[in-house]
Amino acid sequence: MSPSEMRIIRERLTRTELVTMAQARFGDMVKAVVDISRGVMAVGGELHADEEALLLEDGSRQADLWGINLYPSESGPDWIEFDSMINVRPSQNNRSRDVEHEATRAGIRRVVETLVSVQ
């Protein structure tokens, strides 16, 4: 998948679509960057930084973007992994790759649950 195959998700997609995307790139995982303010996410990039750049070009604010990994074949809370280099943001009191604040995690989960259907 090339950077041109990255896309911004604004309407629902299925987990089956994510499984197909995962198989095309990393096997079992899809990288995603979520804009918790606008309620959109970018998927399909090789790097979270590529997806972050796509969302910034689309009008997102840096402070609202968080990198995650989605494991569409998993169930329960483990299907979202809050790990990305773009999350290292001392100015927002996030000093690791992890998303450290539960309120931010909840915002990410809300966007993902809105945009990804269970099917």
Side-chain angles (χ1 to χ4, degrees):
M1 194 176 289
S2 72
S4 64
E5 295 172 340
M6 288 187 302
R7 65 185 202 189
I8 297 173
I9 306 300
R10 301 174 200 279
E11 297 182 13
R12 287 181 80 85
L13 78 160
T14 66
R15 278 206 193 199
T16 302
E17 290 174 279
L18 286 176
V19 168
T20 301
M21 293 175 71
Q23 291 170 343
R25 178 149 327 243
F26 297 110
D28 63 344
M29 180 259 293
V30 175
K31 291 181 182 274
V33 173
V34 175
D35 182 328
I36 59 173
S37 177
R38 296 173 59 212
V40 298
M41 70 178 178
V43 297
E46 184 172 340
L47 301 171
H48 288 116
D50 297 332
E51 297 164 340
E52 177 185 47
L54 180 65
L55 286 170
L56 290 171
E57 289 174 14
D58 191 60
S60 292
R61 294 178 336 125
Q62 175 71 48
D64 297 326
L65 301 180
W66 297 93
I68 59 172
N69 299 313
L70 299 172
Y71 293 88
S73 296
E74 297 290 324
S75 60
D78 291 340
W79 93 283
I80 302 174
E81 178 182 53
F82 301 91
D83 179 43
S84 173
M85 284 299 295
I86 72 165
N87 297 336
V88 178
R89 208 170 301 162
S91 64
Q92 289 181 255
N93 291 324
N94 201 83
R95 300 186 182 278
S96 73
R97 297 171 49 110
D98 197 20
V99 177
E100 298 174 353
H101 302 282
E102 185 51 40
T104 304
R105 285 181 175 226
I108 292 167
R109 280 191 205 97
R110 185 177 55 252
V111 172
V112 171
E113 289 169 4
T114 299
L115 294 175
V116 180
S117 67
V118 179
Q119 297 182 11

